[in-house]
Amino acid sequence: MDAAARIADMIAPTLEAMGFQLVRVKLIGAQRPVLQIMFERETGGAPHDGGVTVDDCADVSRAVSALLDVEDPISGAYRLEVSSPGLDRPLVKPADFERFKSFEAKIELARPLDGRKRFRGRLKGLRGDAVLLADEESGAETPLPVAEIATAKLVVTDDLIAAALAGRPTAAQ
């Protein structure tokens, strides 16, 4: 298990106890690495819930820093970055492709499929071990094997912005 996966396993229960869920842990760089932690509110599967505040980031940063200080999973100095995934969030887990069904995404495969590695289109959910994508380029519904996905993220579109705004409380609430 790599360092990012060990850290994810270590911090996920704390985030869950705080009412958040872990989106991704990524360790970037070698000399002075950056430990990126993305989290969001527990949504119960809804696409958006109003987002994460700066105070949430500060609270998570303090909690995660305390765990990292005790466990010391990274040797040497590193920088900790704590953030929400944002609108153009990475799609990391298979459930993300179902959760964000009908939204536009960019997906890059580790190996070419029918001569292509990069795909863009509307998510149609999951079928078995494949993400279904209404592929912009071919116009067809294309199954992309989950195991072959190197990176995937949402594309900021008007409907994604509308869904995010619909989940935010207004000043009167």
Side-chain angles (χ1 to χ4, degrees):
M1 184 183 299
D2 68 352
R6 283 194 315 274
I7 293 167
D9 288 348
M10 177 182 22
I11 67 174
T14 298
L15 291 178
E16 289 168 12
M18 297 172 73
F20 301 113
Q21 62 184 20
L22 184 62
V23 173
R24 179 176 79 187
V25 173
K26 192 172 186 180
L27 197 54
I28 305 164
Q31 271 188 286
R32 179 152 172 121
V34 174
L35 177 60
Q36 246 185 18
I37 296 173
M38 287 186 185
F39 71 100
E40 64 188 347
R41 291 190 181 287
E42 176 55 58
T43 64
H48 296 284
D49 68 346
V52 169
T53 67
V54 172
D55 289 338
D56 294 335
C57 288
D59 292 343
V60 167
S61 180
R62 281 190 290 276
V64 166
S65 290
L67 285 171
L68 294 172
D69 286 347
V70 169
E71 297 294 327
D72 200 22
I74 303 170
S75 61
Y78 63 93
R79 191 177 73 204
L80 176 63
E81 266 182 21
V82 175
S83 69
S84 76
L87 279 179
D88 60 343
R89 62 171 293 129
L91 302 169
V92 181
K93 303 172 214 154
D96 292 342
F97 297 99
E98 195 65 41
R99 177 178 167 199
F100 292 100
K101 188 179 350 185
S102 84
F103 293 107
E104 194 170 326
K106 288 181 182 180
I107 300 175
E108 185 168 338
L109 301 179
R111 291 183 290 210
L113 176 71
D114 297 328
R116 293 175 54 200
K117 287 177 76 172
R118 292 183 182 89
F119 296 82
R120 180 178 174 146
R122 295 250 172 225
L123 294 171
K124 297 294 186 179
L126 293 170
R127 184 186 309 141
D129 292 334
V131 172
L132 296 179
L133 187 76
D135 184 22
E136 242 179 37
E137 187 174 306
S138 71
E141 191 171 281
T142 305
L144 303 173
V146 171
E148 292 296 322
I149 295 175
T151 61
K153 71 178 201 165
L154 291 178
V155 175
V156 178
T157 60
D158 289 343
D159 58 336
L160 183 62
I161 293 169
L165 291 174
R168 288 197 178 144
T170 63
Q173 289 182 333

